[in-house]
Amino acid sequence: MRDTRRTERIAFALLFLATIVIVAPVGIILFIVLWHGLPGLSLEFIFSMPREGMRAGGIFPAIIGTLVLTIMTAVFSIPVGILAAIYLNEYAGKNWLTRMVEMAIINLAGIPSIVYGLFGLGLFVAFLNFGTSILAGSLTLAIMTLPVIITATREALNAVPQAFREVSFSLGASRWQTVRGVVLKNAIPGILTGAILGLSRAAGETAPILFTAAAFYLPQLPQSVFDQCMALPYHIYVLSTQVPNVSPKIQYGTVLVLVLMVFMLNIMAAFIRAKFRKRKTW
Amino acid sequence: MVKIKTSNLNVWFDWEIALKNITLDVSENEILGIIGPSNSGKTTLLRTLNRLNELYPGSRVEGKAELDGKDIFTEVDILSLRKRVGIVFALPLPLPLSIFDNIAYGPRLHGIKKNNSLSEIVEKSLKDAALWDEVKDRLQESAFKLSGGQQQRLCIARTLAVEPEVVLYDEPCSGLDPISTLKIEEAMKKLKSNYTQILVTNNVKQSARVSDRTAFFLMGELIEVGITAEIYTAPKDKRTDDYISGRFG
């Protein structure tokens, strides 16, 4: 008896410790960023251009750049990702070709982001001649995000009970009618959450935009998708390594803004999930 | 008149044979009961008749099955076949929709859009499935709020809503209480005038109560088929006798 209780206590302690090890870094990072960043945060910081070699003023162009990049990444990657996942899950047979595609998607998800950056440089910037631009950067980010969206969408599709599809087919529905009528309808919350989480990762990436979109400093906002733009992750890199004597208030303030933007996306995803879970009835 | 006819029908799943040489007729407006232990191929036969098995890669069919004299694998379009040959599954499977939308799902697939035509279909189907009086005031509620027995009658109504000619029942009462079972059996008897029905059941007595003829399946083979009264009183095969009298396995 005594032994069982002791093992139980040790197991509990170990599991608890493991959880702390995961939670603690997040908490510490958030605390440091908030502690140093909050004093620098103001409307002026968010809505004005940088001044004095980025040592003063705000980070408005970087915020806009990250917003535009993220939105365009969404436009490129979400429709393609969802359609590809629907094809793979609901239409394609199980043969060597689909298995290859599946393998490719899994491996794509594991490729380091700098490789995507170089790929984007080669394909979009140089070969397709988009130049270093918002277009090239968001296409690169989109390609990096695709495997995440495809995987998340397939999981959401798989979570819809097979029985629903059978009911639909048994009433004479075509494949597309079944996908639209019972599958997508019940998979959309999962798809949306996955897509948003994929995007939130893209929003914070530096390497893929390093050679494809990001500018060190621009005196004005981008005018078209063929312009370069400033972006928060790259701006943080610049402020912390390329520009001497930047006050920590500005450095941490910028980090805080990026963390908050990504956080907002994640909260949105959690919110959607929670809202639909309540409605889920099977 | 013969409605459904199979001749030398074999069905495989991968390399395992599930139905062996089934030759069987079902007449119009008849209720054919199919009894037999689990794994005897009863469900597979139903799912072959509306080609639902084909959703599984690895299923393979040999031999013939006809609906109104037309080969269902080559001469009938698969979507219209499934509309003409409806199925009610073993577990009640409402879609995550309202009661109304569950029944309107099928008609909408086939292009019926007008609200008053849909309402008519919903009312008629629910009446045919003996559920109308219980749900007429709550058609917009989620189908999941219904009891198991009501859900299964909802599924019957949903099948009837696309105006099939044949209705297949795959152990429709296996999870239901005796009263719900009775209601479903009565509905089936009333539907006789308009539909050809095949009832697969694990409950030997159920087939005796509702079917005109009864077929006994064992290990993928059709052992015998005949007028229900004769099968139950004087079966030709000893195995049928053993199964019906409960001396089996």
Side-chain angles (χ1 to χ4, degrees):
Chain A
M1 256 334 265
R2 225 229 203 110
D3 258 345
T4 338
R5 218 173 285 163
R6 204 176 58 190
T7 346
E8 173 70 20
R9 261 207 301 272
I10 294 172
F12 177 80
L14 277 175
L15 296 173
F16 186 74
L17 207 71
T19 315
I20 291 291
V21 167
I22 297 165
V23 175
V26 180
I28 294 169
I29 291 173
L30 271 181
F31 177 77
I32 293 177
V33 170
L34 280 169
W35 183 259
H36 294 286
L38 268 180
L41 220 54
S42 66
L43 280 181
E44 199 221 337
F45 183 67
I46 293 173
F47 288 111
S48 67
M49 305 292 284
R51 279 178 284 115
E52 297 166 30
M54 298 184 274
R55 289 182 193 85
I59 53 167
F60 187 57
I63 294 175
I64 289 295
T66 288
L67 270 180
V68 172
L69 281 171
T70 310
I71 289 168
M72 285 191 49
T73 303
V75 169
F76 291 132
S77 63
I78 290 179
V80 176
I82 292 177
L83 291 177
I86 291 176
Y87 175 75
L88 285 173
N89 233 50
E90 308 291 326
Y91 283 84
K94 294 263 170 286
N95 52 39
W96 65 272
L97 188 70
T98 45
R99 267 194 292 275
M100 290 275 285
V101 173
E102 274 161 27
M103 282 293 288
I105 291 167
I106 291 167
N107 283 311
L108 274 178
I111 288 178
S113 53
I114 186 73
V115 177
Y116 281 105
L118 289 168
F119 172 77
L121 174 68
L123 179 64
F124 301 121
V125 178
F127 183 72
L128 293 174
N129 223 355
F130 295 155
T132 309
S133 62
I134 294 175
L135 184 62
S138 47
L139 282 169
T140 309
L141 285 173
I143 287 181
M144 191 195 75
T145 317
L146 265 179
V148 183
I149 293 180
I150 293 177
T151 312
T153 305
R154 295 192 65 177
E155 267 164 32
L157 294 175
N158 282 329
V160 177
Q162 186 63 27
F164 290 179
R165 294 180 180 83
E166 286 197 359
V167 166
S168 178
F169 283 126
S170 78
L171 294 166
S174 67
R175 215 161 257 283
W176 174 242
Q177 283 175 321
T178 300
V179 167
R180 222 188 40 182
V182 293
V183 182
L184 273 187
K185 231 177 136 196
N186 296 296
I188 273 188
I191 295 175
L192 280 180
T193 355
I196 293 174
L197 291 180
L199 281 183
S200 80
R201 187 189 152 206
E205 276 288 352
T206 318
I209 55 171
L210 193 56
F211 316 116
T212 55
F216 185 79
Y217 171 72
L218 292 171
Q220 57 183 17
L221 293 177
Q223 303 300 310
S224 85
V225 292
F226 292 103
D227 286 350
Q228 297 184 39
C229 66
M230 293 174 73
L232 284 170
Y234 185 61
H235 195 61
I236 292 167
Y237 165 73
V238 166
L239 290 182
S240 47
T241 61
Q242 310 292 303
V243 186
N245 303 324
V246 183
S247 98
K249 251 175 40 177
I250 290 188
Q251 289 174 334
Y252 278 104
T254 313
V255 172
L256 182 58
V257 170
L258 178 59
V259 169
L260 285 180
M261 281 175 69
V262 172
F263 223 68
M264 263 166 2
L265 278 175
N266 291 0
I267 286 173
M268 202 157 93
F271 184 74
I272 292 175
R273 211 193 316 234
K275 191 174 156 214
F276 280 91
R277 189 177 296 152
K278 246 188 260 160
R279 254 206 258 161
K280 189 161 155 175
T281 34
W282 73 84
Chain B
M1 220 186 95
V2 174
K3 186 77 188 171
I4 287 182
K5 183 182 172 68
T6 72
S7 16
N8 300 319
L9 187 71
N10 291 289
V11 178
W12 281 269
F13 289 109
D14 296 313
W15 297 108
E16 226 168 298
I17 191 156
L19 282 181
K20 292 178 215 164
N21 260 325
I22 304 298
T23 299
L24 186 64
D25 290 350
V26 190
S27 315
E28 209 160 332
N29 299 340
E30 170 181 43
I31 300 180
L32 174 74
I34 300 182
I35 56 171
S38 328
N39 233 347
S40 57
K42 310 181 302 276
T43 300
T44 303
L45 177 69
L46 295 193
R47 297 174 63 98
T48 305
L49 292 179
N50 64 359
R51 294 180 65 185
L52 272 183
N53 276 339
E54 290 170 34
L55 296 178
Y56 294 93
S59 75
R60 202 154 46 84
V61 179
E62 221 173 63
K64 252 180 140 175
E66 291 172 345
L67 176 68
D68 286 337
K70 294 248 166 80
D71 190 316
I72 63 165
F73 301 111
T74 54
E75 291 176 302
V76 184
D77 168 61
I78 187 165
L79 299 186
S80 72
L81 173 77
R82 288 185 184 147
K83 179 176 176 295
R84 290 168 65 190
V85 182
I87 188 165
V88 176
F89 297 98
L91 292 171
L93 283 174
L95 295 171
L97 301 168
S98 70
I99 295 171
F100 185 97
D101 288 335
N102 255 283
I103 296 170
Y105 184 85
R108 281 185 179 134
L109 290 175
H110 301 293
I112 297 173
K113 298 247 156 58
K114 275 199 211 133
N115 271 327
N116 48 353
S117 345
L118 286 172
S119 300
E120 267 171 41
I121 294 173
V122 169
E123 181 174 344
K124 181 173 183 309
S125 314
L126 283 170
K127 279 181 175 160
D128 286 347
L131 186 60
W132 174 251
D133 290 332
E134 292 161 61
V135 301
K136 63 184 174 202
D137 302 319
R138 44 194 285 220
L139 293 175
Q140 296 311 321
E141 274 178 38
S142 162
F144 288 98
K145 288 196 176 161
L146 299 174
S147 73
Q150 290 173 325
Q151 287 186 5
Q152 193 60 305
R153 277 177 284 149
L154 177 81
C155 294
I156 295 177
R158 185 176 60 197
T159 303
L160 298 179
V162 295
E163 299 181 332
E165 297 157 32
V166 180
V167 182
L168 313 171
Y169 301 85
D170 184 7
E171 299 170 27
C173 304
S174 53
L176 303 186
D177 64 279
I179 302 207
S180 302
T181 303
L182 189 74
K183 282 183 179 162
I184 287 178
E185 289 173 5
E186 308 225 298
M188 288 180 69
K189 284 181 197 159
K190 275 193 201 135
L191 293 172
K192 269 192 73 160
S193 49
N194 292 315
Y195 303 92
T196 305
Q197 301 175 86
I198 303 181
L199 167 69
V200 159
T201 176
N202 269 333
N203 179 341
V204 175
K205 286 181 187 143
Q206 183 171 46
S207 182
R209 285 195 297 265
V210 292
S211 59
D212 302 307
R213 286 191 309 150
T214 296
F216 174 59
F217 274 61
L218 185 64
M219 312 272 284
E221 281 178 87
L222 172 59
I223 304 300
E224 69 173 294
V225 55
I227 308 285
T228 297
E230 286 171 15
I231 291 275
Y232 279 83
T233 50
K236 293 191 192 81
D237 198 288
K238 187 175 175 305
R239 289 169 291 182
T240 316
D241 194 19
D242 286 348
Y243 183 72
I244 289 171
S245 50
R247 269 181 307 219
F248 214 83

